[in-house]
Amino acid sequence: MNKAINIQLVTLALILLSGCQKSEISEQDSSQHSASSSQKEQVLDKDVKKVVEINKQKPINAFSNNGEKITFAAPTLTKGTEVFNHAMKEPGIATGAIYLTLKDNSLPVELSSQYMLKKMTNKTYRYLAEKDTDLLKVQDVFKQNANVDIVEIKVDYSPIKEVM
């Protein structure tokens, strides 16, 4: 009987010791993980600061895209122009697409005759610009129309470094 109790005590001690070792390892892993995530955050902060510094050095053009300030360094905003969204603190690329939402369901004739618009939903249309089209001029034309409610230039914020 004494032997059985001793075996049980040894087994219990081994289980407790192995549990302590696992928690120590997981604590080390979590501290290493938090250190690597803080390093990633520092790198991201440096990237954002670098983009801001580069943008400060170039002549800046700006526009409002659905209430968010967007800047770019090119003379005109065309498809493929690199932009920077100050609200999101993210760089992006102008895709060449402009979305407009109408106040009512009817598309104005002056817009449909001048621009190739594709109906997306009930009141939303998309315009795809050619490569050299000045997107800000097209956006201004759309905004001047009384039946247009919202105009937004589509910007792709996909992380370019991770794609390549």
Side-chain angles (χ1 to χ4, degrees):
M1 176 101 133
N2 203 7
K3 230 179 190 183
I5 292 175
N6 285 341
I7 292 174
Q8 289 176 346
L9 287 175
V10 169
T11 307
L12 182 63
L14 287 175
I15 290 173
L16 290 174
L17 285 175
S18 68
C20 290
Q21 289 175 348
K22 285 183 183 179
S23 69
E24 288 173 3
I25 291 171
S26 66
E27 286 174 8
Q28 289 174 350
D29 287 346
S30 66
S31 67
Q32 287 175 352
H33 178 70
S34 66
S36 68
S37 67
S38 68
Q39 288 173 345
K40 286 179 184 178
E41 288 175 7
Q42 289 174 350
V43 169
L44 288 175
D45 286 344
K46 287 180 183 177
D47 287 344
V48 168
K49 288 177 183 176
K50 183 179 177 183
V51 169
V52 170
E53 286 300 316
I54 290 171
N55 282 340
K56 284 180 181 177
Q57 296 169 1
K58 297 177 183 177
I60 300 294
N61 295 309
F63 67 99
S64 176
N65 199 31
N66 211 12
E68 295 179 347
K69 181 181 178 182
I70 307 238
T71 57
F72 61 99
T76 59
L77 182 66
T78 58
K79 181 178 181 178
T81 301
E82 291 183 26
V83 299
F84 186 78
N85 184 320
H86 291 271
M88 294 177 13
K89 295 186 175 148
E90 289 285 333
I93 303 286
T95 65
I98 300 176
Y99 289 87
L100 56 135
T101 305
L102 305 176
K103 292 178 181 175
D104 52 27
N105 289 334
S106 61
L107 180 64
V109 175
E110 60 271 13
L111 293 181
S112 64
S113 64
Q114 190 175 3
Y115 298 98
M116 203 124 161
L117 298 170
K118 180 177 181 182
K119 187 172 189 172
M120 304 306 290
T121 63
N122 207 11
K123 296 179 181 180
T124 305
Y125 289 81
R126 180 186 67 199
Y127 169 72
L128 292 176
E130 298 294 320
K131 183 158 180 71
D132 296 330
T133 303
D134 187 346
L135 297 173
L136 291 179
K137 287 183 181 178
V138 176
Q139 181 189 37
D140 287 340
V141 170
F142 289 156
K143 283 182 176 180
Q144 290 174 3
N145 191 292
N147 193 28
V148 175
D149 189 26
I150 300 169
V151 180
E152 184 172 350
I153 296 174
K154 184 169 184 324
V155 176
D156 184 6
Y157 296 105
S158 299
I160 296 169
K161 292 178 185 175
E162 291 180 14
V163 174
M164 295 179 169

